[in-house]
């Protein structure tokens, strides 16, 4: 006698609820993978902002891209004879950070004024700037710099820090 194989397709079929669950889980996995890939791609382009005090406290590794901001320390600007190498110090009125920059500085770059520099620390503790940005009007200061000066208690309302105007805080 020949036996017929009978497969019960109903027992193996997924219910609508199960199909929906797998579809949602698949979509979440796909979305999570996409977000992970985007974050992985962007991680090297993120540039964090630090004040000179934060750079000293965090002991950041050399070669890491970052932005620093503060005031150009009075009397610290040294222009070398080739005309493109400039050394200066950025301060938040608590800590000073030496900066070396090769290139042309913005016209508004001045001692005692706000500055933001992008670059990286070298092994000697000098910040090697690739870009230097200066304030663009009399009342402007980058928000991060203003916050750092407010935290240090050296900020005066009206936009100018006490040390830059020669007044005591």
């Amino acid at each position: 006698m020949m036996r017929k194989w009978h497969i019960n397709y109903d027992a193996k079929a997924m219910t609508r609820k199960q199909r929906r669950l797998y579809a949602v889980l698949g979509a979440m996995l796909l979305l999570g993978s996409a977000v992970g890939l985007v974050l992985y791609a962007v991680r090297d382009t993120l540039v964090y902002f630090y004040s000179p005090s934060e750079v000293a406290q965090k002991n950041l590794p050399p070669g890491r891209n970052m932005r620093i901001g503060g005031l150009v320390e009075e009397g610290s600007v040294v222009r070398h004879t080739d005309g493109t190498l400039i050394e200066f110090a950025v301060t938040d009125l608590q800590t000073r950070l030496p900066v070396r920059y090769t290139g042309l500085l913005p016209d508004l770059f001045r001692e005692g004024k706000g500055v933001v520099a992008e670059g990286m620390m070298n092994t000697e503790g000098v910040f090697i700037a690739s870009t230097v940005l200066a304030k663009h009007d009399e009342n402007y200061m980058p928000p991060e710099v203003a916050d750092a000066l407010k935290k240090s208690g050296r900020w005066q309302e009206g936009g100018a820090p006490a040390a830059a105007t020669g007044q005591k805080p």
Side-chain angles (χ1 to χ4, degrees):
M1 176 169 184
M2 207 174 215
R3 195 163 179 201
K4 275 187 165 180
W5 291 94
H6 179 50
I7 299 174
N8 186 355
Y9 289 105
D10 292 335
K12 292 189 177 193
M14 284 194 284
T15 64
R16 262 190 266 170
K17 201 181 255 188
Q18 288 174 325
R19 279 188 299 224
R20 211 174 317 139
L21 175 66
Y22 288 132
V24 168
L25 288 175
M28 289 177 67
L29 181 66
L30 204 64
L31 181 64
S33 298
V35 168
L37 287 172
V38 167
L39 291 176
Y40 181 76
V42 169
R43 74 182 165 87
D44 288 336
T45 61
L46 291 177
V47 179
Y48 295 99
F49 178 89
Y50 298 102
S51 69
S53 294
E54 290 172 332
V55 171
Q57 290 170 356
K58 294 185 182 201
N59 199 13
L60 300 166
R64 180 178 172 192
N65 273 345
M66 66 178 119
R67 283 186 182 154
I68 62 164
L71 300 173
V72 178
E73 188 176 63
E74 296 283 343
S76 70
V77 177
V78 176
R79 296 176 192 270
H80 291 268
T81 55
D82 67 358
T84 59
L85 178 62
I86 297 105
E87 293 180 353
F88 58 95
V90 174
T91 183
D92 58 2
L93 305 176
Q94 291 180 343
T95 306
R96 80 184 298 270
L97 180 64
V99 177
R100 189 175 300 142
Y101 176 68
T102 302
L104 298 174
L105 289 170
D107 290 338
L108 297 174
F109 180 88
R110 304 272 187 276
E111 293 180 355
K113 301 294 181 179
V115 67
V116 173
E118 186 173 333
M120 60 185 69
M121 295 293 292
N122 68 9
T123 55
E124 298 147 10
V126 177
F127 187 80
I128 307 301
S130 58
T131 306
V132 174
L133 307 170
K135 65 180 202 145
H136 62 76
D137 71 15
E138 289 303 312
N139 297 318
Y140 174 76
M141 180 158 303
E144 295 90 349
V145 175
D147 290 343
L149 290 172
K150 286 177 184 176
K151 282 181 193 173
S152 72
R154 309 216 180 197
W155 177 261
Q156 284 186 334
E157 289 305 319
T165 60
Q167 301 171 0
K168 294 197 179 217

